[in-house]
Each structure stands twice: as C-alpha cells, then as structure tokens.
Amino acid sequence: MIRRPPRSTLFPYTTLFRSPRYASFISTILILGATTLTYFTIKMSFMMVLLTYGIMFGFGVSCGYGATISNGVQWFPNNRGLASGFVLAGYGLGEIGRAHV
C-alpha cells in the first residue's frame, strides 16, 4: 500500500510534484493579498469583504496547511500522528493570536 502525504485543497499536487516551499510561497501570497485587499474593500461592501477575506484567505490557509502537514509527516515518518498534531496545534494557536489583531 502506497501512502501519500495529505494534499491541499487549492493546489492539490503542489506538494507531490513540486516542493512544499512552492505551496508555502503561494499560500503566503494569497494570505497577504487577501489581507491587503480586505483593508481596501471593507469600505465598499460586505460581499467584497467575504470574497477577499473569506474565500481568498481561506484558500491561502488551506494551501499552507497542506504543505506544513506534508513536511511534518516527511520529517517524522515514525511519529506521523504526533507531527500532524503539533502542526494542527500550531495552526490553532496562531489563529488565536491573529484573531485579536
């Protein structure tokens, strides 16, 4: 049985055919762009905020999540669950800190 690392939802094959660095770069660009566009669209309409912050930011986070889970699983092949748990905990704690900003 061949096991593959988890994939991201936006770019499903970025971690398989390219490096996780590529997926992290795309994720960073999407998150930065979504946050910047939200700053400008918050004065226009609520639907534009949903589009930029909700959808664009969500795609960026999902792309970055797949890359980090993939790296954690590759770095610790004997402790896959522990590595995935630490990555998930890091994402959760990071969002708690970012939510107050």
Side-chain angles (χ1 to χ4, degrees):
M1 176 181 202
I2 298 173
R3 290 189 167 214
R4 291 190 227 167
R7 298 183 218 157
S8 62
T9 55
L10 182 60
F11 298 103
Y13 299 106
T14 53
T15 56
L16 292 178
F17 299 117
R18 292 185 178 241
S19 68
R21 184 177 293 179
Y22 175 75
S24 297
F25 177 74
I26 297 295
S27 171
T28 303
I29 296 298
L30 283 172
I31 289 172
L32 182 65
T35 307
T36 305
L37 286 175
T38 301
Y39 173 77
F40 294 113
T41 60
I42 203 162
K43 297 171 187 160
M44 292 181 191
S45 71
F46 183 68
M47 291 305 290
M48 290 300 290
V49 171
L50 286 180
L51 179 70
T52 57
Y53 196 73
I55 295 175
M56 193 172 167
F57 192 87
F59 279 148
V61 168
S62 68
C63 184
Y65 183 75
T68 53
I69 287 286
S70 174
N71 270 346
V73 169
Q74 289 174 1
W75 287 347
F76 302 104
N78 295 333
N79 298 323
R80 295 169 66 112
L82 182 67
S84 298
F86 279 142
V87 169
L88 183 62
Y91 259 84
L93 291 174
E95 289 299 315
I96 287 173
R98 191 189 57 78
H100 294 290
V101 174

